[in-house]
Amino acid sequence: MCLRMGIFLSDAFVLTFVVLGIVQISATDGDFSVAGSEVSGDGALLPMSGVRFLPGYNFSLSLSSSFPEDLEVSDYCLTLLGIFGERYVTYVKCLVSHARPVKICEKCYANYNNLREIYNNISSDSMGPGNMSCHDSLVRSDRLMLVYMLYSSMEEIWSTASCTHCFTADEQSLSNNTLHFLTALNTTLSCFETHQGNHTELCKDCKTMYRSLSELYNLMEYNNTLCIDLEDSMNVTRRLWSKTYGCSFPREETVPVIAVSGFMLFLPVIFYLSSFLHSEQKKRKLIHPKRAKSNNSLMNIQDKFS
């Protein structure tokens, strides 16, 4: 596409020069000669030779910026566009600065709100100074819709990180659940740091704090009130507890799980044992009448001979 565009522009420039009489091409007297794209053995293009422009004309590749007044962007819209660019850069810098450990929701929500505010002003259909709207001139004026694409990419990052789950309804401050979790997290990490020299004491003294933090995290996960900041911090804390410090504690649900598993394992034994006892009892009941019948027959024979 770029190659086609370059060829198209070059042809357009040459055609314009020829029509206006600005450029004269002569292969004999040397006023203007085009040697073409001379290629060396390495495939590198050599500069054209014999190019001379008429006096009074300056060659420039920049496009003219003089459009009709009805197509120009108003100063008000250009001001909004400049503010959008500044806030966009600030927001991106904040995201990069807090990528590891992940704290983009906690640290960048003010920058996100500022960016969203200026974009809403740009994309709004409400009229600004001069009874003009910037929506058509800045957002939908071309196929690329660059302002919209830039904002959508930042909006997608914020949405994928589930940052709204950690804030109040107006997204102006952290929610109480988030603050409660951060307090429990800081308490647990402080306990870890206090017992750095003795992992045995760390596992013993920090056990209650870590358990409370884990239970709070599970509750927030169930209620869908977690953002990427809390998820990442809990993952790091779990790695510290289990891998770095080698701590562990049996879960409360372990005993019921073992009991149920044991019962399920013994079910086949109980079934076959009950089936065996039942078959033996039935077999005895079937044999007993046969013996009784044989005894009665024997008594009848004895009575006849007597």
Side-chain angles (χ1 to χ4, degrees):
M1 180 64 71
C2 294
L3 180 59
R4 291 180 180 177
M5 185 62 71
I7 295 174
F8 174 77
L9 290 177
S10 61
D11 292 342
F13 279 125
V14 172
L15 181 60
T16 303
F17 293 151
V18 171
V19 172
L20 297 178
I22 298 177
V23 178
Q24 297 177 348
I25 302 177
S26 175
T28 57
D29 55 8
D31 290 340
F32 185 88
S33 63
V34 180
S37 299
E38 300 177 1
V39 182
S40 67
D42 296 332
L45 294 177
L46 298 178
M48 294 188 299
S49 59
V51 179
R52 183 172 65 84
F53 297 99
L54 295 180
Y57 292 95
N58 294 324
F59 183 76
S60 175
L61 291 178
S62 62
L63 296 177
S64 174
S65 59
S66 58
F67 291 103
E69 293 184 359
D70 57 339
L71 296 180
E72 291 183 351
V73 181
S74 65
D75 293 338
Y76 170 72
C77 295
L78 290 177
T79 302
L80 293 183
L81 184 61
I83 297 174
F84 175 84
E86 293 174 357
R87 295 185 179 182
Y88 186 90
V89 171
T90 302
Y91 179 50
V92 171
K93 286 183 178 180
C94 183
L95 292 179
V96 175
S97 300
H98 299 92
R100 293 302 313 161
V102 182
K103 292 184 180 297
I104 60 175
C105 299
E106 179 184 356
K107 300 296 185 181
C108 302
Y109 75 93
N111 302 121
Y112 170 75
N113 287 334
N114 292 335
L115 179 65
R116 182 173 59 178
E117 178 186 9
I118 190 62
Y119 179 78
N120 290 338
N121 291 337
I122 291 175
S123 60
S124 176
D125 290 329
S126 59
M127 298 300 176
N131 200 24
M132 296 183 63
S133 172
C134 300
H135 183 261
D136 293 334
S137 60
L138 296 182
V139 179
R140 296 191 305 183
S141 61
D142 54 76
R143 178 178 61 83
L144 183 59
M145 296 192 299
L146 183 60
V147 174
Y148 170 78
M149 291 182 63
L150 290 174
Y151 178 76
S152 297
S153 62
M154 296 299 100
E155 180 76 16
E156 183 178 2
I157 293 176
W158 190 262
S159 176
T160 304
S162 301
C163 289
T164 54
H165 295 169
C166 285
F167 291 90
T168 55
D170 58 358
E171 297 187 17
Q172 297 298 322
S173 60
L174 296 173
S175 64
N176 292 332
N177 291 332
T178 303
L179 294 175
H180 185 34
F181 178 86
L182 293 176
T183 301
L185 175 66
N186 292 332
T187 302
T188 304
L189 295 179
S190 297
C191 184
F192 288 174
E193 189 173 353
T194 303
H195 298 81
Q196 284 291 327
N198 192 336
H199 291 178
T200 303
E201 292 295 326
L202 184 148
C203 297
K204 179 180 178 181
D205 295 343
C206 303
K207 178 179 179 180
T208 303
M209 301 176 189
Y210 177 78
R211 183 185 296 237
S212 300
L213 178 65
S214 182
E215 291 176 351
L216 177 60
Y217 179 85
N218 293 334
L219 179 62
M220 295 180 67
E221 184 178 24
Y222 178 79
N223 294 330
N224 197 25
T225 55
L226 290 174
C227 61
I228 189 62
D229 294 11
L230 307 188
E231 294 174 8
D232 183 73
S233 60
M234 190 65 204
N235 289 335
V236 173
T237 306
R238 284 174 174 172
R239 287 197 296 268
L240 289 174
W241 175 263
S242 60
K243 294 184 179 181
T244 304
Y245 305 134
C247 303
S248 63
F249 58 87
R251 295 186 176 183
E252 296 179 355
E253 63 268 17
T254 302
V255 176
V257 170
I258 294 176
V260 173
S261 300
F263 177 76
M264 296 297 293
L265 290 175
F266 277 101
L267 274 180
V269 178
I270 297 173
F271 173 76
Y272 285 114
L273 182 60
S274 62
S275 299
F276 175 76
L277 295 176
H278 181 70
S279 61
E280 286 294 327
Q281 185 178 6
K282 187 175 182 180
K283 185 177 180 181
R284 290 179 182 178
K285 288 182 179 181
L286 292 174
I287 294 175
H288 180 70
K290 186 181 292 186
R291 291 180 180 176
K293 184 177 180 180
S294 60
N295 291 336
N296 292 333
S297 300
L298 181 59
M299 290 179 62
N300 292 334
I301 295 172
Q302 290 178 352
D303 292 338
K304 288 181 179 180
F305 283 102
S306 62

